[in-house]
Amino acid sequence: MEQKSKEEEKKVGVIETWLRKHTLLFKGATRHPLILSIRDGSIDIASFKSWLAQDYLFVRAFVPFVASVLIKAWKESDESGDMEVILGGVASLEDEISWFKREASKWGISLSEVVPQQANKKYCGLLESLMSPDVEYTVAITAFWVIEVVYQESFAHCIGEGSKTPQELKETCERWGSEAFAKYCQSLQNIANRRLQKASDEELKKAEHTFLNILEYEVDFWNMSRGNV
Ligand SMILES: Cc1ncc(CNC=O)c(N)n1
């Protein structure tokens, strides 16, 4: 029988603790019926197209949010390496926006005509509130991590063992489900964990609240496009 020392216990990050405490909600966001329908091949393409169009608008709002996290890292971070990780995130969003445009044209979606739905507007509003200079770096980087990891966990599930994801959706799943994206999410998690470990109770409370909020908004976001699954 191995007994964990107090030192080892302390190494279990705040995020791991939250993930254990809020497993149900996390599963709700990362094993949504829409994702399960991609994985089992039963996906209704209209739902996929609706998600794609809405997500393009979301990602456009996500860019300034990530830029705001970059500014906070520059001002508040105790580790210079944080900036490179976040800057990498900003850079890859340029490619992502081009990808959305290509993908939309493949599916015959006219992005200029897409109208944001309620859940999307609400989520973009949350992003905007998190851009405020009053929001601490620790809270913002935690939010950034959870937004990314929901997509990573969701889409990785669609390309895992035994998945029946339709060929034409595989590229989408690879975008967020890839090993490279998983590594990037791990880097964000490490930064967030480091900051959370040093945070005040007040900040911890705010960060956990934001974490839960985002998971709920992600569920609402998937629900928007789920159609009749
Ligand atoms: C609603 C939502 N959540 C997370 C992501 C992933 N981040 C950037 O692409 C996304 N595209 N959309």
Side-chain angles (χ1 to χ4, degrees):
M1 271 286 193
E2 276 203 41
Q3 192 75 46
K4 270 193 179 155
S5 71
K6 276 275 170 278
E7 259 325 294
E8 276 173 318
E9 270 173 19
K10 258 193 268 172
K11 282 188 199 136
V12 175
V14 173
I15 284 175
E16 287 80 0
T17 310
W18 289 350
L19 289 173
R20 259 173 242 163
K21 189 168 147 197
H22 307 293
T23 308
L24 266 175
L25 184 53
F26 191 73
K27 284 267 180 276
T30 58
R31 295 292 183 267
H32 187 274
L34 188 77
I35 282 297
L36 299 179
S37 77
I38 293 176
R39 186 186 152 87
D40 71 16
S42 70
I43 174 95
D44 154 33
I45 286 304
S47 301
F48 175 78
K49 285 165 74 171
S50 153
W51 163 79
L52 185 79
Q54 291 296 317
D55 210 43
Y56 168 73
L57 296 183
F58 175 85
V59 169
R60 291 194 73 90
F62 188 55
V63 174
F65 165 72
V66 179
S68 79
V69 183
L70 186 69
I71 293 170
K72 292 186 213 291
W74 173 66
K75 288 195 177 172
E76 296 175 51
S77 181
D78 47 325
E79 290 263 359
S80 63
D82 293 8
M83 244 181 91
E84 276 78 354
V85 175
I86 302 160
L87 186 57
V90 175
S92 65
L93 284 170
E94 190 196 1
D95 179 66
E96 190 164 308
I97 285 181
S98 310
W99 175 84
F100 268 104
K101 289 179 181 165
R102 264 183 284 123
E103 193 67 17
S105 96
K106 221 168 79 183
W107 292 101
I109 300 165
S110 168
L111 289 174
S112 60
E113 286 163 55
V114 180
V115 178
Q117 290 186 35
Q118 202 48 45
N120 200 356
K121 280 197 226 166
K122 218 178 83 185
Y123 201 170
C124 292
L126 174 65
L127 288 182
E128 203 169 340
S129 71
L130 291 168
M131 291 180 215
S132 158
D134 298 337
V135 173
E136 299 87 345
Y137 175 53
T138 304
V139 175
I141 192 79
T142 303
F144 184 20
W145 163 75
V146 64
I147 294 169
E148 297 290 46
V149 85
V150 165
Y151 266 43
Q152 193 271 317
E153 290 266 348
S154 299
F155 286 107
H157 188 58
C158 301
I159 50 182
E161 270 284 297
S163 75
K164 299 193 190 82
T165 299
Q167 191 55 43
E168 62 273 28
L169 304 187
K170 281 200 176 137
E171 199 184 304
T172 301
C173 300
E174 272 294 329
R175 170 156 286 280
W176 292 282
S178 70
E179 268 306 310
F181 195 75
K183 272 198 179 147
Y184 161 68
C185 290
Q186 188 60 55
S187 305
L188 292 175
Q189 181 171 335
N190 294 344
I191 298 173
N193 255 334
R194 191 192 78 233
R195 297 289 307 191
L196 290 164
Q197 198 171 16
K198 297 179 196 167
S200 65
D201 286 350
E202 173 80 17
E203 240 179 22
L204 269 176
K205 215 184 282 170
K206 275 195 235 171
E208 186 172 7
H209 176 79
T210 304
F211 165 79
L212 295 174
N213 234 339
I214 287 172
L215 291 179
E216 279 165 21
Y217 284 32
E218 286 286 348
V219 173
D220 293 345
F221 200 94
W222 292 129
N223 280 343
M224 215 171 33
S225 320
R226 123 172 115 157
N228 48 17
V229 294

